Amino acid sequence: MSASSEDNASRTTGEPDLNDRAMRDRAVLAARGKAPFDVLLSGGLVADVVTGELREADVGLVGAMIASVHPRGARSDAGRVLALAGAVIAPGLIDTHLHIESSMITPRSYAGVVVPQGTTTICWDPHELGNVSGLDGVRWAVEAARGLPLRILIEAPSCVPSAPGLERCGADFRADAMAEMLSWPEIIGVAEVMDMRGVLERSPRMSGIVQAGLESGKLVCGHARGLEGPALQGFVAGGIESDHELTDRHDILSKLRAGMAIELRVSHEPVLPEAVAAFREIGRVPQTVTLCTDDIFPDDLVKQGGMVHLLRRLVHYGMDGLEALRCATLNAAQRIGRRDLGLVAPGRRADLVVFDNLETFGVRQVFVSGIHAASDGDLHIAMRPDTAAPPGGTMRLTSVSASQFLIPASGTRAMIRTVSKPRFTQWGTREVAVRDGHVVIPADAALMAVFNRYGASAEPGLGVIEGWGEWTGAIATTVLHDSHNLAVYGRDPDDMALAANTLIASGGGMVVTRGGRILAELPLPVCGLLSTDDPQDVARQFVAVREAAASVSTWDGVPVMIKLIIGASLACNAGPHVTDLGITDGMTGEIVTDCVLAS
Ligand code: FE
Ligand code: FE
Ligand code: FE
């Protein structure tokens, strides 16, 4: 990255400018012993992610930068001395890909949670906000990310909608929208390109979006689930540089060999031991390995943590702590083109984390651009209030009636097409009873209804889903990847209408109803995706919804139920998925608007 683009970054994120000449003058004097440091971290071990050493050294800070890393005890002249008693001084953690929306809190709240965990830089793809509110949503993300103690770099959502033609979301991004976002200085590149077929088959839509990224000179990030052989080579040849959809050691090595930067993610734990095995096989951890969190639910973020939890898990699976740390710091900084980050060395930005050690990664202190931001889990600097108003009008539904949860049919029996499994869905057929002109949903099945919430239609897409146990209540959600329409699940039309209307009144969120009562609710008034409440409260409300959701079905897969509930409309995937248009299939492109075959 050039000096001027670093300077640009400083201006856009509100972080102090490292090219400040007076600060450099003072840093040189302090490093040479001719002036005191502002802050001196003494008695610690520096985690040197270049040499792989954990060495005794003190670190002197001047303004926003590190001025000197020198022998322990060599200096004591500083405005403030922090005695570390053998703790480890590491670079601040960099998360190379995530969606804040998955944690259901605002960027400001997110910063308040992860900075005390040692994360100082994140690359945020506001893909869900983009799908709901289009460019206004991304613009709000940029504004809401500014001036926080967490450095939030924004990736431009590439797949809005993620299944064009199979669903309707709140916007439609083509090459011109991508080029516009890339022209904003806050945008660091094109976010995960998920439409692999579009890239490989050179669809005008996807090629145009990727081309805008290539011409911008910024990052072009990817999502390369299951790609191998010629398809993998073609995807990378198309300009896509990274992947986080890794499955096993073979997949990890083939992506590394194809020159992709990989983003190991905490939200898919089975891949972590595979990664450790892959690195063992080649005898090194490549410099193109970075770490990310991608999607973390609010309770997990608050309780287990984000990046720091990932470091702990990697060490648990046998990775060396310093190697894991290098992935989360220097490798990440190189990937995103930030020469000021990722290393404890003079001249670099003073983003630092003091850990107890590199096994348990207990976080003691966090510095961001030289400012002591957190100690022992608590943020102790004031954050500016949220100023930018989020986009409104994202719930353009008036109210729904119980009769909209009925599938019309004639006679007394009918054959219907169904979605036969919760995971890796398949098409099914089923003979059902017909009563009073409507299909009787079988006891072991449920209805999934998806209402377009952007004003395209008042009538929902309907599908019968099997394999989710027996339902005694209803669940509604506006968190519904990736269209974030309003989905309602259940068997009882009154409970379903109550759930839907509760969310229409609140502007969106998640709710569980039974017997005419609301069992649990998580209001998400910002675009039907985020809460403005305190993260601890959001975590509590989310747990309440998760538990209530588990109680309205007898399904034994309840631990992952909420994840499947919000993912059941992912029309870009193969197999049947109910969207606002009906039952769609991402593999064949089929759309079934009426599931009744014959009656
Ligand atoms: Fe992805
Ligand atoms: Fe992602
Ligand atoms: Fe999504």
Side-chain angles (χ1 to χ4, degrees):
M1 170 174 279
S2 69
S4 67
S5 60
E6 257 166 42
D7 186 44
N8 236 345
S10 301
R11 281 205 306 274
T12 56
T13 58
E15 61 188 325
D17 181 3
L18 278 203
N19 297 338
D20 180 297
R21 185 151 176 191
M23 184 172 67
R24 288 274 172 188
D25 290 344
R26 211 154 61 77
V28 173
L29 284 178
R32 296 173 63 214
K34 295 180 186 306
F37 299 115
D38 293 342
V39 179
L40 179 64
L41 307 182
S42 76
L45 296 167
V46 164
D48 188 330
V49 291
V50 169
T51 62
E53 299 164 293
L54 197 55
R55 55 190 165 84
E56 290 185 0
D58 291 349
V59 180
L61 313 185
V62 167
M65 59 184 282
I66 300 168
S68 169
V69 179
H70 51 262
R72 188 183 274 182
R75 299 278 298 278
S76 59
D77 51 326
R80 189 172 158 233
V81 178
L82 209 65
L84 298 183
V88 176
I89 306 167
L93 307 178
I94 303 172
D95 188 334
T96 49
H97 173 72
L98 68 99
H99 313 278
I100 290 180
E101 298 96 313
S102 295
S103 301
M104 303 176 192
I105 52 180
T106 63
R108 180 180 181 278
S109 296
Y110 189 89
V113 176
V114 303
V115 168
Q117 297 175 357
T119 300
T120 52
T121 302
I122 66 168
C123 303
W124 175 24
D125 169 14
H127 167 80
E128 321 301 352
L129 283 167
N131 269 274
V132 172
S133 296
L135 287 176
D136 286 348
V138 181
R139 248 181 233 116
W140 179 75
V142 166
E143 289 305 319
R146 224 190 275 284
L148 295 170
L150 177 67
R151 183 174 304 99
I152 303 182
L153 310 172
I154 315 273
E155 302 170 344
S158 64
C159 296
V160 178
S162 69
L166 298 182
E167 63 182 0
R168 291 168 298 189
C169 66
D172 184 2
F173 285 0
R174 300 184 183 240
D176 55 341
M178 179 52 71
E180 157 143 25
M181 289 185 285
L182 288 165
S183 75
W184 306 343
E186 297 87 351
I187 301 285
I188 61 165
V190 180
E192 54 173 321
V193 173
M194 292 182 266
D195 183 356
M196 297 175 276
R197 202 206 290 184
V199 172
L200 292 170
E201 294 176 1
R202 313 307 291 151
S203 84
R205 181 193 182 96
M206 215 55 234
S207 309
I209 287 170
V210 172
Q211 188 65 25
L214 294 172
E215 287 171 8
S216 74
K218 297 184 176 183
L219 305 179
V220 181
C221 305
H223 160 122
R225 184 137 199 126
L227 286 188
E228 54 187 6
L232 175 59
Q233 299 301 307
F235 196 58
V236 182
I240 316 297
E241 305 161 345
S242 63
D243 181 39
H244 53 257
E245 301 290 331
L246 306 153
T247 52
D248 58 21
R249 79 181 79 173
H250 169 77
D251 187 42
I252 289 168
L253 288 178
S254 30
K255 302 227 166 109
L256 287 168
R257 287 171 182 142
M260 293 188 114
I262 65 168
E263 299 141 348
L264 289 176
R265 64 177 173 180
V266 70
S267 47
H268 186 59
E269 179 139 349
V271 78
L272 302 183
E274 293 289 323
V276 174
F279 304 150
R280 218 164 258 160
E281 191 179 322
I282 55 173
R284 63 203 302 255
V285 181
Q287 73 183 63
T288 45
V289 178
T290 70
L291 307 185
C292 79
T293 58
D294 204 359
D295 300 289
I296 302 192
F297 280 136
D299 54 334
D300 292 335
L301 186 74
V302 166
K303 277 194 222 129
Q304 298 177 327
M307 290 290 284
V308 75
H309 177 63
L310 177 51
L311 290 174
R312 290 173 187 143
R313 296 315 291 162
L314 284 166
V315 168
H316 167 84
Y317 289 114
M319 193 160 166
D320 174 66
L322 196 57
E323 291 275 33
L325 184 68
R326 177 165 59 84
C327 298
T329 57
L330 183 61
N331 290 6
Q334 290 184 333
R335 162 69 188 141
I336 63 173
R338 286 290 299 246
R339 298 203 320 259
D340 59 330
L341 302 178
L343 192 59
V344 183
R348 305 282 174 145
R349 191 175 290 277
D351 277 15
L352 299 169
V353 191
V354 178
F355 290 112
D356 287 333
N357 55 59
L358 298 184
E359 287 99 53
T360 56
F361 285 100
V363 179
R364 291 195 195 171
Q365 318 288 345
V366 183
F367 287 81
V368 183
S369 287
I371 293 168
H372 194 179
S375 300
D376 301 318
D378 288 322
L379 190 76
H380 50 57
I381 54 169
M383 278 197 287
R384 56 130 184 87
D386 267 326
T387 44
T394 65
M395 181 59 94
R396 277 170 241 149
L397 275 164
T398 42
S399 73
V400 306
S401 69
S403 64
Q404 290 180 284
F405 299 100
L406 298 171
I407 300 171
S410 53
T412 56
R413 309 288 302 171
M415 284 299 286
I416 60 168
R417 295 187 78 185
T418 64
V419 181
S420 78
K421 290 192 310 180
R423 259 178 293 207
F424 309 111
T425 56
Q426 287 175 0
W427 290 96
T429 52
R430 180 99 180 231
E431 188 180 346
V432 293
V434 175
R435 195 183 306 139
D436 304 328
H438 303 111
V439 165
V440 178
I441 309 290
D444 64 344
L447 183 70
M448 176 175 175
V450 178
F451 292 86
N452 183 288
R453 68 160 155 132
Y454 309 106
S457 162
E459 289 310 312
L462 294 174
V464 172
I465 55 174
E466 298 174 298
W468 297 73
E470 293 185 22
W471 287 63
T472 55
I475 305 173
T477 180
T478 55
V479 177
L480 187 75
H481 299 276
D482 284 321
S483 65
H484 304 290
N485 280 313
L486 168 63
V488 195
Y489 302 79
R491 291 189 72 243
D492 181 292
D494 292 320
D495 279 345
M496 294 177 81
L498 172 62
N501 288 325
T502 302
L503 294 190
I504 290 168
S506 71
M510 310 177 89
V511 67
V512 184
T513 60
R514 177 164 58 207
R517 283 185 38 232
I518 294 171
L519 300 186
E521 185 184 2
L522 167 59
L524 299 170
V526 179
C527 299
L529 297 173
L530 307 179
S531 170
T532 52
D533 286 357
D534 179 80
Q536 303 282 347
D537 291 334
V538 177
R540 260 192 296 279
Q541 293 166 61
F542 177 75
V543 169
V545 165
R546 171 141 71 181
E547 286 172 1
S551 79
V552 299
S553 143
T554 60
W555 188 43
D556 58 5
V558 288
V560 291
M561 183 154 174
I562 258 318
K563 208 171 168 181
L564 295 180
I565 287 282
I566 65 174
S569 194
L570 261 173
C572 53
N573 288 341
H577 293 87
V578 182
T579 76
D580 63 319
L581 294 175
I583 314 179
T584 67
D585 191 321
M587 182 63 87
T588 60
E590 185 180 9
I591 301 177
V592 173
T593 51
D594 180 0
C595 64
V596 178
L597 287 169
S599 51

